[in-house]
Amino acid sequence: MAEYRKGLRADPDDTLNLKDECAQSQKLVEREFIEMRKFVLNIVDLISQRHSKISEDNKIEVDDHTFQLFLGFYQSIRPPRADNISLGFPNNDIFLGFDDYFAKLTGEKQENAKRFLKEAYHITDCDSFFECIRSNQNLNMNGYISDAIAYLNDKPNFDVHKLGDDEKLYFLATAEFVKTFIDYLPNAGVIAWDLSEQIGLSRIAFACDIISKDDYCRNMNVLSDMLKSSLSSFEEYARSFTFGSALLMFRVKSMNITKSTDFMFSIAGYLCSSNLLDTKWIS
């Protein structure tokens, strides 16, 4: 739909009959959002049922280091290869795992991981690592959530009408996307996605000798403490993480609702098949 509207601005006489295409596209988007809301309800139920399968008193207690590795769930099961810069999960390939807090890489595996960090995140040394953590938009999705929620609550953080045409369309589409799961977000938004990704990258950077042991431990503790204080259970973590993954896919895949929904569902499936929801949350 965005491309059709760009075409209309370039061809105000509509010689290509793009107005009809826009109208049809709008109807399709509305149907996709209706289907997405159904998916969201299914995912919320799936996570809730999986989390309640074991009572809180009987959930597994882990030490703080293991807990931090669990918080970095996504990067722990995704190998950092240059040919895996896309967002999908590997089928049977496990990378750092959850057993060794100070895991290191050597040889070809380290070279592949370094190439992954450079090509996917422009990380080549300690300074670029921390700059990425601070400023990479894909690691800081909660800002988009905050802006969308403020707008949906009629308390916008900025004047939407002052945005350019494309930027305005992008923002309004993002807000509409967030609206499908806003009622199920923890108060902390999608912080689990953001900080989980940052924890995972911290592990990879340390494994490749890009950051020191002191920097690694310090950063892991800071990120873990932020998650502990922002969320109260792995159920909240799972919802925050899953909806964050959906928003990321929506933004990087040109607002493709179907791809975002599919990715969100796969993420929820991986979470629910892991041990995270059987684990006791550390406050």
Side-chain angles (χ1 to χ4, degrees), residues 43-270:
I43 286 172
V44 170
D45 287 343
L46 177 68
I47 291 171
S48 177
Q49 291 176 19
R50 179 64 180 82
H51 184 258
S52 61
K53 188 175 181 180
I54 297 178
S55 68
E56 196 64 33
D57 291 340
N58 292 322
K59 289 191 183 296
I60 303 167
E61 294 188 30
V62 297
D63 60 44
D64 202 53
H65 277 183
T66 302
F67 186 77
Q68 289 181 9
L69 298 187
F70 280 1
L71 295 178
F73 174 80
Y74 184 59
Q75 291 287 7
S76 294
I77 70 171
R78 182 177 69 175
R81 304 180 310 222
D83 61 347
N84 192 38
I85 293 176
S86 65
L87 298 174
F89 281 100
N91 290 327
N92 299 302
D93 200 351
I94 303 300
F95 174 49
L96 288 175
F98 304 100
D99 296 326
D100 187 356
Y101 188 77
F102 296 106
K104 285 286 189 178
L105 294 170
T106 58
E108 184 178 354
K109 287 185 177 180
Q110 186 182 97
E111 291 306 310
N112 286 339
K114 284 184 175 180
R115 191 158 64 249
F116 168 84
L117 291 175
K118 180 178 180 180
E119 294 185 18
Y121 296 100
H122 307 293
I123 294 173
T124 57
D125 53 24
C126 184
D127 288 342
S128 58
F129 167 77
F130 282 107
E131 176 60 27
C132 175
I133 293 297
R134 283 191 299 270
S135 61
N136 187 295
Q137 292 181 336
N138 292 345
L139 306 178
N140 295 278
M141 303 298 293
N142 227 15
Y144 296 120
I145 289 287
S146 298
D147 288 340
I149 291 176
Y151 172 78
L152 292 170
N153 289 333
D154 295 323
K155 297 179 181 178
N157 293 332
F158 50 83
D159 188 348
V160 176
H161 298 294
K162 290 184 178 180
L163 298 175
D165 289 337
D166 292 342
E167 194 175 5
K168 181 180 178 181
L169 175 63
Y170 206 50
F171 173 76
L172 293 177
T174 299
E176 193 66 25
F177 185 81
V178 171
K179 189 177 179 179
T180 63
F181 54 76
I182 188 174
D183 292 336
Y184 307 103
L185 270 178
N187 290 334
V190 297
I191 191 172
W193 174 264
D194 289 345
L195 300 193
S196 175
E197 285 285 85
Q198 293 179 31
I199 286 172
L201 288 178
S202 299
R203 293 192 69 195
I204 298 172
F206 173 71
C208 294
D209 299 318
I210 287 176
I211 60 174
S212 69
K213 185 176 182 179
D214 285 345
D215 283 335
Y216 168 67
C217 291
R218 189 180 306 112
N219 198 50
M220 291 285 280
N221 287 333
V222 168
L223 297 173
S224 174
D225 287 346
M226 289 173 66
L227 278 169
K228 289 176 184 178
S229 63
S230 300
L231 302 170
S232 61
S233 69
F234 269 113
E235 181 178 10
E236 284 194 346
Y237 172 94
R239 283 190 276 121
S240 175
F241 186 94
T242 300
F243 295 137
S245 74
L247 180 60
L248 174 71
M249 182 61 76
F250 183 74
R251 294 189 64 83
V252 303
K253 293 297 182 181
S254 302
M255 302 183 286
N256 188 302
I257 299 169
T258 300
K259 289 183 179 180
S260 303
T261 303
D262 289 346
F263 186 61
M264 175 175 63
F265 207 78
S266 70
I267 290 286
Y270 274 94

